[in-house]
Amino acid sequence: MPSRKQFATTGRSRKGEPLVWLTAAGLAIGVTMALGLFLLILVKGAASFWPKRIELFEIRKGDTTELIAGFETQSRTRKDADGKEVREIQVFRGNKDFSNDTFLYIDARDIVSRSLPEDGILIERLTYGPAIGEPVALLVDGERIGADDGAFREALGSVIGKSGETREKVLHIERKQIGKISLAMEELSRAEKAGRMTPEAAAGERAALQAEFDKLKAKASELDESMAANSLIYKISDGREKTLPSDQLLGVFSPNRTGFFGRLGESLRRAWHFLVEEPREANTEGGVFPAIFGTVVMTLVMSFFVTPFGVIAAIYLREYAKQGAMVRIVRICVNNLAGVPSIVFGVFGLAFFVYFVGANIDQTFFSEKLPTPTFGTPGILWASLTLALLTLPVVIVATEEALSAVPRGVREAALACGASKWQAIQRVVLPASLPGILTGVILAMARGAGEVAPLMLVGVVKLAPSLPIDDVAPFIHAERKFMHLGFHIYDLGFQSPDAEAAKPMVYATALLLIIVVVTLNLTAITIRNRLRKRYAVSSF
């Protein structure tokens, strides 16, 4: 017999090692790219909250000069008409009500001087975005307090605080109290239309509701007028003055007078407001709380639906179905579903859930509200079900793998003790498979939370006035549209009227979406690890 070639540990015969190094290099490149992307989003997202110092640029304009106050956001190099490289800096100067160009590029050669004005302030406004200028005076109940007065800063803080409290009262009146009256009047109209109430009785209740509505409206107007009685006067870099009523004033910050820890506190305050406030100014200002809430609720509802369906399907395929050609075809179809473009699931969800299931629910249970649809329109329930279908193959495949990984001896031991097949699955196999099942659920949550394309058809909107869960009966509103962090990023990046102004929000929202997904996954991983320790089994 021919002798077998001895395995050599040195020299050129170690043919496999270059391929090992190649795979390691591929893994290293992938990890580096992922970490680089995460670090880019982390740095850019965190930097969007950091308050930069306000500079005063003196720019050469022919024979004259122009003063521009703002802060540098980025720089770039371009070639001029002579082919020479020219450095430009991008400056944010705000004051959209004075100029439409809140960002402008300045040729570095045209900058005569740059300075840090001590009195420079950044004013956060309800509309028109931030303003940059210098304070002139404060009007409080008809009294003028000059910016050089020692009591100016304290009075300004008091006005901002009182305006914030009053604004909260106005929002409570308009959204809660007036909202309830509007819902009651709609219900009254439906009862009258359905014949459950006589026209005379409906007219009496409608008059009472209208009186309450007028009273609340007058109270809200009175609060608005009380805020408008106070105002801040400031001037921009070219000397023009602006009077800003306190109902439009959200905050004032002096970055050039504040040290490191003061600016750190301001950045934390901005991050907090970003998390808890609602968006404004076409989503380019304010916070993203409705988007966070909608993303988390949709992901949890999706997990609630996809987990039992996926587990039941996998149990049947693995434990009960007769293994043959039909089961193989079903498995191939399930695996192929994972590769179907997500927008196809969106089209299916719109046609089946919204137009078919939702329309029939409206005909059966909400016929009084027709032609206004209740469930026959995109909403968070249909979006969650659509994503549940999209992620179903992931859960089925992971569950089948987990079931097959349970040692045969464990099953036989349960059967030998007198348990039926279902009892063995229910009390032995399923608990031992839970860590693997949860792995599939984690993957499904990660994919579902990041999907955007199907949501654009079945429920997500640019701005949702109400949350899917609130304190208005029946408290859970599965038919409502919702906001989503992924769609918020798309909207800011590609649909915003001011792309430059939206850029910091894009990075901050992307960072937040990653944190939300990681938090949901870490929670699921913690549960999985505890279950793995609790139901750890060993083969005989």
Side-chain angles (χ1 to χ4, degrees):
M1 293 180 62
S3 61
R4 297 180 61 181
K5 188 176 181 180
Q6 297 294 320
F7 177 74
T9 57
T10 59
R12 299 174 61 183
S13 61
R14 303 173 66 186
K15 296 178 180 177
E17 288 202 355
L19 295 178
V20 174
W21 282 106
L22 185 63
T23 56
L27 176 63
I29 292 173
V31 172
T32 303
M33 291 175 65
L35 285 177
L37 177 62
F38 177 72
L39 286 176
L40 172 68
I41 295 174
L42 177 64
V43 171
K44 292 283 188 180
S48 63
F49 301 113
W50 184 257
K52 297 181 179 178
R53 298 197 183 280
I54 296 174
E55 294 187 77
L56 187 63
F57 298 88
E58 185 178 3
I59 311 298
R60 186 183 299 105
K61 293 284 186 181
D63 297 332
T64 63
T65 58
E66 178 185 358
L67 293 176
I68 295 175
F71 52 81
E72 180 179 339
T73 54
Q74 62 176 329
S75 64
R76 68 181 184 185
T77 303
R78 66 170 179 84
K79 290 186 178 181
D80 61 6
D82 299 330
K84 295 181 180 178
E85 290 192 346
V86 178
R87 179 173 172 269
E88 290 182 330
I89 62 171
Q90 187 190 48
V91 175
F92 173 78
R93 62 176 179 179
N95 302 326
K96 193 184 296 182
D97 45 342
F98 287 102
S99 172
N100 291 328
D101 299 326
T102 53
F103 289 85
L104 75 161
Y105 280 98
I106 301 175
D107 192 327
R109 296 172 301 183
D110 294 334
I111 299 176
V112 178
S113 65
R114 298 173 66 166
S115 60
L116 296 174
E118 188 178 3
D119 294 332
I121 56 173
L122 181 69
I123 305 170
E124 190 178 357
R125 301 181 294 183
L126 195 61
T127 56
Y128 291 112
I132 294 177
E134 293 183 2
V136 175
L138 187 67
L139 299 178
V140 183
D141 298 327
E143 180 184 356
R144 182 184 177 96
I145 304 175
D148 54 352
D149 193 315
F152 176 81
R153 298 283 171 182
E154 184 180 354
L156 179 60
S158 176
V159 166
I160 294 174
K162 290 180 180 177
S163 298
E165 295 174 0
T166 307
R167 196 177 298 109
E168 289 294 326
K169 292 179 182 177
V170 172
L171 287 176
H172 179 76
I173 291 173
E174 292 179 343
R175 294 188 178 180
K176 301 294 183 182
Q177 296 177 313
I178 293 180
K180 286 183 179 178
I181 292 176
S182 299
L183 290 175
M185 294 183 80
E186 289 179 9
E187 181 62 28
L188 192 63
S189 299
R190 285 196 292 271
E192 184 181 5
K193 182 180 176 182
R196 290 185 277 109
M197 181 176 287
T198 63
E200 293 77 14
E205 288 199 21
R206 188 175 290 109
L209 290 173
Q210 185 64 43
E212 184 67 19
F213 177 87
D214 294 338
K215 181 180 176 183
L216 291 172
K217 198 71 178 174
K219 186 177 180 181
S221 300
E222 183 181 349
L223 290 173
D224 280 333
E225 291 175 0
S226 68
M227 284 192 292
N230 304 324
S231 56
L232 171 69
I233 303 174
Y234 65 94
K235 65 178 180 181
I236 62 175
S237 57
D238 61 5
R240 286 182 289 178
E241 290 190 357
K242 169 85 176 182
T243 300
L244 183 68
S246 66
D247 61 340
Q248 296 288 314
L249 183 60
L250 298 177
V252 174
F253 183 67
S254 303
N256 296 350
R257 288 189 173 191
T258 308
F260 173 79
F261 291 104
R263 296 166 71 191
L264 179 61
E266 173 65 13
S267 63
L268 293 176
R269 186 194 71 84
R270 291 181 181 182
W272 173 250
H273 283 265
F274 178 71
L275 294 176
V276 301
E277 287 188 351
E278 297 181 358
R280 60 179 192 276
E281 294 287 298
N283 291 349
T284 59
E285 299 288 341
V288 292
F289 176 74
I292 298 173
F293 193 84
T295 304
V296 173
V297 170
M298 185 213 66
T299 305
L300 293 179
V301 175
M302 178 207 72
S303 305
F304 176 78
F305 283 111
V306 73
T307 303
F309 280 102
V311 171
I312 290 171
I315 288 175
Y316 182 79
L317 284 175
R318 174 59 59 179
E319 304 291 340
Y320 289 102
K322 184 179 179 181
Q323 303 300 313
M326 182 59 69
V327 171
R328 284 198 298 273
I329 292 173
V330 171
R331 284 203 176 96
I332 291 172
C333 292
V334 169
N335 292 332
N336 286 338
L337 273 178
V340 173
S342 58
I343 189 67
V344 176
F345 283 94
V347 174
F348 174 80
L350 179 66
F352 180 72
F353 291 124
V354 178
Y355 291 154
F356 179 71
V357 180
N360 281 287
I361 290 176
D362 284 348
Q363 290 286 350
T364 306
F365 300 103
F366 302 97
S367 57
E368 290 182 0
K369 295 184 178 181
L370 293 175
T372 303
T374 303
F375 281 92
T377 184
I380 191 168
L381 176 62
W382 305 138
S384 301
L385 287 174
T386 302
L387 288 188
L389 279 180
L390 188 145
T391 55
L392 187 61
V394 179
V395 179
I396 292 177
V397 172
T399 304
E400 274 206 88
E401 294 295 328
L403 292 173
S404 64
V406 177
R408 182 184 180 87
V410 175
R411 299 167 184 268
E412 293 177 346
L415 296 174
C417 290
S420 65
K421 185 172 184 179
W422 169 245
Q423 286 173 329
I425 293 172
Q426 180 187 7
R427 301 184 182 182
V428 177
V429 178
L430 266 183
S433 308
L434 276 179
I437 296 173
L438 279 176
T439 300
V441 176
I442 292 168
L443 295 174
M445 291 170 66
R447 184 177 180 189
E451 281 292 342
V452 175
L455 300 180
M456 296 167 66
L457 299 176
V458 290
V460 75
V461 290
K462 177 186 178 75
L463 186 62
S466 303
L467 297 175
I469 301 175
D470 59 18
D471 57 351
V472 178
F475 310 116
I476 299 176
H477 308 276
E479 77 283 3
R480 284 184 180 173
K481 295 178 176 58
F482 67 104
M483 294 181 68
H484 185 269
L485 285 172
F487 181 77
H488 194 73
I489 295 170
Y490 164 78
D491 179 63
L492 287 171
F494 300 98
Q495 304 293 322
S496 175
D498 192 346
E500 290 294 339
K503 195 180 293 184
M505 290 282 286
V506 170
Y507 284 112
T509 309
L511 177 61
L512 184 60
L513 178 59
I514 292 174
I515 292 174
V516 169
V517 173
V518 169
T519 303
L520 290 173
N521 287 353
L522 285 179
T523 304
I525 289 171
T526 303
I527 297 173
R528 182 189 65 183
N529 291 341
R530 290 187 178 181
L531 291 173
R532 180 174 290 167
K533 290 179 181 177
R534 183 175 178 182
Y535 296 108
V537 295
S538 59
S539 59
F540 292 97

